[in-house]
Amino acid sequence: METCTTHKKCYPSKEVAEDVLIETRTAFDFAAGYGPIAVYQCEECGYFHLTSHGPMNEKLSQYLADGKIQLQKEADRWLNKFRKK
């Protein structure tokens, strides 16, 4: 994985960064106003990073509005329950 002077994780494309953004919002419970909400291309390294600042990513916004994030969280909870048996 590439490194950046910002010490943030680097993603090779906007699409990959958006997928990681969705996965992160699915895997972790963030309080309102916290956690990553967007991706941006870094002026330092040229790769993409996640950020908690600025306007919300359109794909993330749509997933939240459609309830897809919550459905995936519930599916993950059930999968974890079955794996523990």
Side-chain angles (χ1 to χ4, degrees):
M1 180 176 276
E2 295 294 323
T3 58
C4 178
T5 58
T6 63
H7 303 289
K8 290 187 172 188
K9 290 184 181 177
C10 299
Y11 303 101
S13 69
K14 181 180 180 182
E15 291 77 21
V16 170
E18 285 178 331
D19 288 345
V20 172
L21 175 65
I22 300 297
E23 290 172 13
T24 300
R25 295 298 296 204
T26 300
F28 301 101
D29 290 320
F30 295 102
Y34 291 93
I37 61 166
V39 302
Y40 70 96
Q41 189 169 19
C42 181
E43 292 178 3
E44 298 289 323
C45 68
Y47 288 96
F48 290 83
H49 302 303
L50 306 184
T51 182
S52 59
H53 302 289
M56 184 176 285
N57 176 272
E58 189 175 311
K59 186 174 180 180
L60 175 61
S61 179
Q62 191 62 50
Y63 272 55
L64 288 169
D66 292 347
K68 290 180 181 178
I69 300 287
Q70 198 57 39
L71 285 173
Q72 188 60 49
K73 283 182 183 231
E74 187 65 24
D76 289 348
R77 276 191 215 107
W78 281 104
L79 282 172
N80 288 334
K81 284 183 180 184
F82 288 123
R83 287 182 184 141
K84 289 181 182 178
K85 287 186 175 186

